[in-house]
Amino acid sequence: MSEQKSLLVFAHADEAVAFADVDHLISGVGKINASVALAGAIADGNIKNVIVLGTAGVVGHAGEDRPSLDTIYQVTKLIQHDFPLPSADVDPTGEVLLEDYQVTMATGDVFVSDDQQRAHVKSLGASLVDMEGYAYASVCQRFDVPLQIFKIPSDYADDSASIDEWDDIAKQKSVQLREFYDKHLS
């Protein structure tokens, strides 16, 4: 039996541009892509833990302990924001590295980019929003694989957020994620 390894996961290739020299999985955007790609990798591999790095939108308003666009946060609780029925919260089970920077993140299959969407997500108790985190956590929970999720905010998930600008922002954030990875995870 081969030695178990950590699996590094990104949703989108732009988030991984600074990781060309590091083995990783690009799952694809959205809950279905994330679920299928990660479940396949875990089922096919000898995975001891999963580490997700990527970007997320901020759902808080200025002045209310809103996450900074230049800080990396560890997601320690996940909820769905686009599912009309109650769904269980899921908690990544990997080691907490960022005691002072833990957040709840909401996941949904929509790029949150207006004030009404942001207010809804915030009302659920989330600080950040993405499109894959809940799926990653659900898959890891089913396979009993420890998971850590680290996110750096890319935008404020409001009327100023543009999916057209996201690719360039994600590439810039990838450099910050790499610095974090080299310091804390490699």
Side-chain angles (χ1 to χ4, degrees):
M1 184 174 204
S2 64
E3 184 178 332
Q4 288 191 316
K5 63 180 181 174
S6 295
L7 177 63
L8 184 60
V9 179
F10 299 89
H12 194 280
D14 289 343
E15 295 172 322
V17 295
F19 293 83
D21 63 327
V22 178
D23 189 30
H24 61 270
L25 170 70
I26 304 294
S27 69
V29 175
K31 292 187 283 187
I32 291 174
N33 289 329
S35 297
V36 170
L38 184 56
I42 291 173
D44 288 345
N46 198 11
I47 306 302
K48 70 176 178 179
N49 67 306
V50 173
I51 300 168
V52 173
L53 297 174
T55 59
V58 173
V59 295
H61 296 287
E64 57 179 39
D65 296 328
R66 176 169 70 173
S68 164
L69 294 182
D70 290 317
T71 301
I72 294 175
Y73 296 89
Q74 185 165 5
V75 178
T76 54
K77 181 178 179 182
L78 289 133
I79 56 177
Q80 293 190 88
H81 71 81
D82 66 344
F83 191 67
L85 302 173
S87 56
D89 297 346
V90 290
D91 302 332
T93 59
E95 176 187 2
V96 174
L97 296 180
L98 303 177
E99 287 290 336
D100 295 334
Y101 298 98
Q102 297 178 57
V103 294
T104 296
M105 185 168 69
T107 298
D109 280 320
V110 61
F111 184 82
V112 176
S113 61
D114 71 46
D115 292 334
Q116 185 177 359
Q117 289 173 315
R118 183 187 68 195
H120 167 69
V121 174
K122 173 87 173 132
S123 74
L124 299 173
S127 299
L128 298 178
V129 61
D130 84 337
M131 298 173 69
E132 303 82 22
Y134 189 93
Y136 294 140
S138 294
V139 168
C140 285
Q141 186 175 45
R142 287 186 189 246
F143 281 94
D144 197 26
V145 173
L147 169 68
Q148 294 170 300
I149 300 177
F150 300 97
K151 293 285 189 163
I152 186 163
S154 57
D155 56 76
Y156 290 114
D158 60 11
D159 294 332
S160 70
S162 168
I163 199 162
D164 297 328
E165 297 171 358
W166 182 86
D167 288 331
D168 290 333
I169 293 168
K171 289 175 186 174
Q172 295 167 10
K173 297 297 182 176
S174 181
V175 173
Q176 291 171 282
L177 289 168
R178 180 58 190 257
E179 291 169 0
F180 173 80
Y181 174 83
D182 288 342
K183 183 176 181 181
H184 297 283
L185 300 169
S186 66

